[in-house]
Amino acid sequence: MKYRNQFLKYHVCQNQAGADGGDGGSGGNPPPNAGNGETPKTYTQADVDKLIADQIAGLKNKNSELIGKEKELKTKLAEFDGIDPQAVKAILQNFADQEEAKLIAEGKIDDVLAKRAERMKADYDKQTAKLQGDLDKVNARAAKFAERALSASVREVGAALNIHASAYDDALLRAKSMFDVDDDGNAVAREGVLGKDGKPLTLKEWLEGMKETAPHWFPAPSGGGSQGGGGGGSKTISRADFEQLSPEQRAATIKSGVIVI
């Protein structure tokens, strides 16, 4: 106890000396008023006790303040005793919208449900629009693929039948109304389009049949064919069929010697 009191007195005296404007008590610095001819200040037991009491009183006040806040916090927490925080969090998430919370407080549950349904519909419409957009892109790509595949098939079969190069555009245009493309890229007759044998029409059978309907697609036969007004051996085409041709096809038709009747 004796050494404790001496330590406290020394510590208080050093702090007080520093507060009076000097650095007394720290590592060899001169005490207050040293060297100026003044008598160093002397601390009595009463001064030391008062300083210690003041510091202890400050600590007690701070401790009392903390204890008071702790009691206040415990009182508030007691109001939530038995409440599941996770359940409360879930509820708050469901009713996070301030407008909904206000309507619920006013007992307007139907309005809340209506607004929720409206938001759900808007979200559904948004997602549906996105899906439809994606589907349209896929369908557009599929249509391009089908057209290219059908065009390739028409050209392949047409080449075997010696169709004029200028006739391929017209042949593809007409083939679109007769044929689709399967998953393997093959030309297949549309539903109900049948050949002479009652089976689905093939592209080759169709193109061969077009020799009568669109003879200008094919080379004029040598040494035979229909007789026209321009001489024997000439191939003919009706005026109606000729008018359906593009300017390039008309020129090719005339160049090939086909006669328009």
Side-chain angles (χ1 to χ4, degrees):
M1 181 65 74
K2 174 182 178 181
Y3 291 105
R4 177 178 177 278
N5 291 336
Q6 288 178 350
F7 174 77
L8 290 174
K9 290 178 181 180
Y10 174 79
H11 179 70
V12 173
C13 289
Q14 291 296 84
N15 288 341
Q16 185 62 34
D20 290 339
D23 293 326
S26 59
N29 292 327
N33 304 321
N36 58 7
E38 297 182 5
T39 302
K41 185 175 181 180
T42 302
Y43 291 91
T44 64
Q45 180 64 40
D47 294 331
V48 174
D49 292 342
K50 183 177 182 304
L51 290 172
I52 293 174
D54 290 343
Q55 292 190 13
I56 292 175
L59 292 173
K60 287 183 177 181
N61 291 336
K62 188 65 176 178
N63 187 52
S64 298
E65 181 183 349
L66 293 175
I67 292 175
K69 289 184 178 180
E70 182 181 5
K71 290 182 178 180
E72 181 181 355
L73 181 59
K74 286 182 178 181
T75 300
K76 290 182 178 180
L77 290 176
E79 297 177 1
F80 299 93
D81 187 25
I83 297 178
D84 184 357
Q86 295 300 327
V88 173
K89 184 178 180 180
I91 293 174
L92 291 177
Q93 287 178 346
N94 291 333
F95 296 94
D97 189 286
Q98 294 183 358
E99 183 178 1
E100 280 193 3
K102 181 180 178 182
L103 292 173
I104 292 172
E106 295 174 354
K108 299 179 180 179
I109 305 299
D110 291 341
D111 292 347
V112 173
L113 296 177
K115 288 183 177 295
R116 285 192 178 186
E118 183 178 350
R119 285 200 302 269
M120 291 176 63
K121 183 179 183 303
D123 184 61
Y124 172 80
D125 291 343
K126 182 179 179 180
Q127 294 183 16
T128 301
K130 183 181 182 304
L131 292 175
Q132 185 61 50
D134 295 340
L135 180 60
D136 290 342
K137 291 179 180 179
V138 172
N139 288 337
R141 292 175 182 174
K144 289 182 179 180
F145 166 77
E147 183 173 351
R148 289 178 181 177
L150 182 60
S151 175
S153 296
V154 169
R155 290 181 180 278
E156 180 182 359
V157 177
L161 297 176
N162 297 321
I163 291 180
H164 293 305
S166 59
Y168 280 116
D169 289 341
D170 187 28
L172 177 60
L173 181 62
R174 299 195 191 190
K176 287 181 181 179
S177 63
M178 306 289 290
F179 297 91
D180 286 324
V181 176
D182 62 16
D183 294 339
D184 295 325
N186 300 316
V188 293
R190 291 190 172 186
E191 185 177 358
V193 179
L194 305 176
K196 294 179 180 180
D197 57 0
K199 296 181 179 180
L201 182 68
T202 65
L203 187 59
K204 181 179 180 181
E205 182 182 358
W206 175 72
L207 283 173
E208 288 177 339
M210 292 301 290
K211 289 181 179 180
E212 299 296 331
T213 307
H216 55 283
W217 288 3
F218 305 88
S222 59
S226 302
Q227 298 294 324
S234 298
K235 197 76 174 178
T236 61
I237 182 175
S238 68
R239 171 62 61 179
D241 288 338
F242 183 78
E243 293 295 337
Q244 293 181 0
L245 302 178
S246 65
E248 293 80 6
Q249 291 171 339
R250 293 177 186 176
T253 299
I254 295 173
K255 185 176 180 181
S256 66
V258 176
I259 299 174
V260 180
I261 59 175

